[in-house]
Amino acid sequence: MDKTYIFGHKSPDTDTITSSLVMANLEKELGNDNAVACRLGNLNKETEYVLNYLGIDAPELIESVEDDANVILVDHNSPSESADNIENAKILKVVDHHKIAFETAYPLFVRSEPVGCTETILFKLYKENNVEVSKEIASLMLSAIISDTLLLKSPTTTEDDVKAVKELAEIAELDYEEYGLDMLKAGTDLSDFSIEEILSLDAKQIDFKDVKSIVNQVNTASIEEVLEMKADLEEGMNKIIEDENLDLFMLLITDIVNSNSQVIALGKSAELVEKAYDVKLEDNTVLLEGVVSRKKQVVPIMTENA
Amino acid sequence: MDKTYIFGHKSPDTDTITSSLVMANLEKELGNDNAVACRLGNLNKETEYVLNYLGIDAPELIESVEDDANVILVDHNSPSESADNIENAKILKVVDHHKIAFETAYPLFVRSEPVGCTETILFKLYKENNVEVSKEIASLMLSAIISDTLLLKSPTTTEDDVKAVKELAEIAELDYEEYGLDMLKAGTDLSDFSIEEILSLDAKQIDFKDVKSIVNQVNTASIEEVLEMKADLEEGMNKIIEDENLDLFMLLITDIVNSNSQVIALGKSAELVEKAYDVKLEDNTVLLEGVVSRKKQVVPIMTENA
């Protein structure tokens, strides 16, 4: 039988990696023995911490899919964030919590909800299909929700996410606040990364109307520490702007303890940041108070002002 | 509080009309007191039969939605099939069983499944939310599934649809085969309609790659009876082709008793029908044996050959 490749977005984060594992397990439980969890890039430090802590192997690394391959997309739906050649694959299912940015020539299973994390939806799917949530699966789900909602503090957090975290912490037998802070802090360790790697860790290509942009988000427990690399980061950003012909590169340096983001904005449309947030960039950078969510606090505001 | 307008596609059919009523009821049961079932056009004969039989009022007729109106789309997702000004509305939810043909700037609730009928999905949503399915709601759901699957005989029919029909027939206390055939036959009565009305009853604008087309489907218990109007139908089709600058107008005259479709194809791309089905049009028409589903047996084949 043909395999079913299950993967999240490029520059994978904890939600994307755990969702591919959790969805593959659900598919298997529902009788699809050919489900294979995959990933489109290297693990970040946070996800490494999670998989190490739980003793779980990472999903298989792939770059592209073959023509007519069966695929299931989790935690993304836009072709630009997906595997190469996705336009020639057969998408069987999509489970996601992002805006809709794909089209198909055929009907398919789509489950999208405006919640904080894909795993919150997957938890519902397990329940609806009466599939048992093991301690391991619960730990994966829990880790992703903590990651995406920054310990339930991000404005993307919904009641469903809070409810899921409470239930999953019970099954996982984890003190979710203690575990969660350790996990988030592990994710802020940038010491092993080159500038190029930092700039692609959680980078998303987003067009604000006609403004071709990349928005990259880096979590930290100390904005100052990251700003020590500012000159090198800007050099790297300018190179990417040139190579990819971008109008804007936004680097969000997000303080996970105090829930703010320092933004570095480069490119000929950098002033869009000033307009959108009514701020003044000084030396290409400014603190956006209370901004921690790219999806809720960056994409809609930047799009509206573009 | 702002209203939430719930509607299906233009040229409404039984699934679209009943889904707006059934979804509005679900929203109300879940606490959204502002849900209003709407429709974007006149009832067809089949749907009239259903609402008369059940003694239920038709949803409110609307044409467009205001800027920032809250809307829920059922049984469609493409802006071209939706209310005027839909691009400026706020889509809260989509429940559908068609291909994905819309985009958003924000995450939202989407529930799409490749099943025969939207009501099959709505039946699941009632169960998942522990909302009681009354005899009236069950009768609406049942009518739509019978309509979309032509009494479970269309190739769009899935196991989920069959299961839903069995369960709903129990709740509705209806002999679904007897009721269903009467309902389908009521839908084939064209006596009250002008040629223009017949040509728009269930017309969908579909682009097969670059081939700008309308595919209209008319159900009948006698293909011959409809073909008596062939000259007038062709005149009307040619007028629409000219007015809307179409490459192709396909009229499917579907025999619901024997499960075949007579197609009349006009426009400069009419030969695409010959290529797609390996047939020869004679006098612009040919019988497509076993073809009853636009979605499963027309759209993919025509797209592939375009």
Side-chain angles (χ1 to χ4, degrees):
Chain A
M1 270 293 288
D2 287 346
K3 284 185 181 175
T4 302
Y5 301 92
I6 303 174
F7 46 85
H9 52 76
K10 285 176 179 164
S11 304
D13 58 12
T14 299
D15 190 19
T16 260
I17 295 292
T18 61
S19 289
S20 69
L21 292 164
V22 166
M23 185 72 193
N25 182 65
L26 178 62
E27 283 291 303
K28 281 179 188 157
E29 291 284 342
L30 294 176
N32 180 357
D33 292 331
N34 306 297
V36 192
C38 301
R39 63 188 160 97
L40 303 180
N42 294 329
L43 299 184
N44 67 27
K45 293 273 180 181
E46 183 192 278
T47 313
E48 258 179 15
Y49 177 91
V50 171
L51 296 186
N52 279 340
Y53 186 94
L54 301 173
I56 296 175
D57 288 337
E60 195 177 310
L61 180 65
I62 62 168
E63 273 190 6
S64 61
V65 289
E66 291 186 5
D67 287 359
D68 301 317
N70 291 324
V71 305
I72 293 175
L73 309 184
V74 292
D75 195 30
H76 78 299
N77 67 73
S78 166
S80 69
E81 295 174 15
S82 199
D84 293 348
N85 199 39
I86 188 69
E87 57 278 5
N88 295 314
K90 167 88 182 162
I91 306 174
L92 303 180
K93 301 184 185 184
V94 174
V95 181
D96 191 19
H97 65 131
H98 295 91
K99 69 193 180 96
I100 301 297
F102 76 118
E103 299 203 340
T104 63
Y106 46 84
L108 74 164
F109 179 98
V110 181
R111 181 70 175 256
S112 175
E113 297 189 26
V115 293
C117 181
T118 308
E119 292 286 20
T120 301
I121 306 167
L122 284 169
F123 187 34
K124 292 186 191 188
L125 287 176
Y126 271 68
K127 286 181 175 180
E128 287 162 18
N129 288 286
N130 296 312
V131 171
E132 197 208 348
V133 177
S134 67
K135 191 175 165 180
E136 188 173 84
I137 293 291
S139 303
L140 289 168
M141 290 175 168
L142 182 64
S143 303
I145 306 176
I146 290 168
S147 167
D148 269 12
T149 65
L150 295 176
L151 259 170
L152 304 179
K153 283 191 289 186
S154 162
T156 56
T157 311
T158 66
E159 275 176 39
D160 288 356
D161 301 303
V162 176
K163 196 166 154 273
V165 161
K166 300 280 157 73
E167 287 182 45
L168 289 166
E170 292 266 323
I171 304 171
E173 295 173 34
L174 279 170
D175 176 337
Y176 78 87
E177 289 183 310
E178 191 189 327
Y179 167 76
L181 201 59
D182 287 347
M183 184 197 85
L184 289 173
K185 279 190 179 156
T188 69
D189 174 13
L190 298 173
S191 56
D192 279 2
F193 293 109
S194 68
I195 292 291
E196 286 79 34
E197 285 168 333
I198 292 172
L199 290 175
S200 70
L201 274 176
D202 184 15
K204 283 194 203 272
Q205 269 198 293
I206 304 172
D207 291 347
F208 305 122
K209 289 181 190 145
D210 290 338
V211 181
K212 197 182 166 197
S213 309
I214 282 182
V215 183
N216 184 25
Q217 188 165 25
V218 172
N219 288 340
T220 184
S222 159
I223 286 174
E224 285 190 6
E225 224 169 76
V226 180
L227 283 182
E228 284 170 15
M229 298 182 279
K230 183 161 174 287
D232 291 339
L233 289 168
E234 289 189 353
E235 192 186 326
M237 287 163 71
N238 277 324
K239 190 172 178 315
I240 294 168
I241 288 169
E242 197 172 323
D243 289 352
E244 307 200 8
N245 203 13
L246 298 177
D247 301 312
L248 175 64
F249 194 127
M250 277 178 88
L251 175 63
L252 292 172
I253 303 161
T254 299
D255 181 336
I256 56 163
V257 182
N258 300 304
S259 301
N260 296 314
S261 290
Q262 186 82 25
V263 62
I264 302 177
L266 293 177
K268 67 170 186 280
S269 297
E271 79 282 358
L272 180 56
V273 172
E274 301 188 327
K275 187 180 163 206
Y277 295 94
D278 195 18
V279 294
K280 204 82 206 151
L281 288 166
E282 275 178 47
D283 205 13
N284 308 318
T285 186
V286 69
L287 185 74
L288 302 179
E289 303 230 16
V291 172
V292 295
S293 164
R294 174 167 47 193
K295 192 160 67 174
K296 273 264 211 263
Q297 296 173 299
V298 177
V299 175
I301 292 163
M302 291 291 286
T303 304
E304 203 181 303
N305 285 282
Chain B
M1 270 292 288
D2 288 345
K3 284 185 181 175
T4 302
Y5 301 92
I6 303 174
F7 46 85
H9 52 76
K10 284 177 180 163
S11 304
D13 58 11
T14 299
D15 190 19
T16 261
I17 295 292
T18 62
S19 289
S20 69
L21 293 164
V22 167
M23 186 72 193
N25 183 66
L26 178 62
E27 283 292 303
K28 282 180 188 158
E29 292 284 341
L30 295 176
N32 180 356
D33 292 329
N34 306 298
V36 191
C38 300
R39 63 188 160 97
L40 304 180
N42 294 328
L43 299 183
N44 67 27
K45 293 273 179 179
E46 184 193 276
T47 314
E48 260 180 15
Y49 178 91
V50 171
L51 296 186
N52 278 340
Y53 187 95
L54 300 172
I56 297 174
D57 288 338
E60 195 178 312
L61 181 66
I62 62 170
E63 273 189 7
S64 61
V65 289
E66 291 185 6
D67 288 359
D68 301 317
N70 291 324
V71 306
I72 293 176
L73 309 184
V74 291
D75 195 31
H76 78 299
N77 67 73
S78 165
S80 69
E81 295 174 15
S82 199
D84 293 349
N85 199 39
I86 188 70
E87 56 278 7
N88 295 313
K90 167 88 181 160
I91 305 173
L92 302 180
K93 301 185 184 183
V94 174
V95 181
D96 191 19
H97 65 130
H98 295 91
K99 68 194 181 92
I100 301 296
F102 76 117
E103 298 203 340
T104 63
Y106 45 85
L108 74 163
F109 179 97
V110 182
R111 181 68 174 258
S112 175
E113 297 189 26
V115 293
C117 181
T118 308
E119 292 285 20
T120 301
I121 307 167
L122 284 168
F123 187 34
K124 293 186 190 186
L125 287 176
Y126 270 68
K127 286 182 176 179
E128 287 162 19
N129 288 286
N130 296 311
V131 171
E132 196 208 347
V133 177
S134 67
K135 191 175 164 181
E136 188 173 84
I137 293 292
S139 303
L140 289 169
M141 290 174 167
L142 182 64
S143 303
I145 306 177
I146 290 168
S147 168
D148 269 12
T149 65
L150 295 176
L151 258 170
L152 305 179
K153 283 191 288 186
S154 163
T156 56
T157 311
T158 66
E159 275 177 38
D160 288 357
D161 301 303
V162 176
K163 197 164 152 274
V165 161
K166 300 280 156 73
E167 287 183 45
L168 290 166
E170 292 265 325
I171 304 171
E173 295 175 34
L174 278 170
D175 176 336
Y176 78 87
E177 289 184 309
E178 192 189 325
Y179 167 76
L181 200 59
D182 286 347
M183 185 198 85
L184 289 173
K185 279 191 179 157
T188 68
D189 175 13
L190 298 172
S191 56
D192 278 3
F193 294 108
S194 68
I195 293 291
E196 286 79 36
E197 284 167 334
I198 292 171
L199 290 175
S200 69
L201 274 175
D202 184 15
K204 285 195 202 270
Q205 269 197 291
I206 304 172
D207 290 347
F208 305 123
K209 289 179 190 148
D210 290 338
V211 181
K212 196 181 166 200
S213 310
I214 283 181
V215 182
N216 184 25
Q217 188 164 27
V218 173
N219 289 339
T220 184
S222 159
I223 287 173
E224 285 190 7
E225 225 169 77
V226 180
L227 283 182
E228 283 169 17
M229 297 181 279
K230 182 161 175 284
D232 291 338
L233 289 168
E234 290 189 352
E235 192 187 326
M237 288 162 71
N238 278 323
K239 190 171 179 318
I240 294 168
I241 288 169
E242 196 172 324
D243 289 352
E244 307 199 10
N245 203 13
L246 299 178
D247 301 312
L248 174 64
F249 193 128
M250 277 176 88
L251 175 62
L252 293 171
I253 303 160
T254 300
D255 180 336
I256 56 164
V257 183
N258 299 304
S259 300
N260 296 313
S261 290
Q262 186 82 25
V263 63
I264 301 178
L266 293 177
K268 66 171 186 279
S269 297
E271 78 282 359
L272 180 56
V273 173
E274 300 188 327
K275 186 180 164 207
Y277 295 94
D278 194 18
V279 293
K280 205 81 206 151
L281 289 166
E282 276 178 47
D283 205 13
N284 307 319
T285 186
V286 68
L287 185 74
L288 302 179
E289 303 229 13
V291 172
V292 295
S293 165
R294 176 167 47 195
K295 192 160 67 175
K296 275 265 211 258
Q297 296 173 299
V298 176
V299 175
I301 292 163
M302 292 291 288
T303 305
E304 203 181 304
N305 285 281

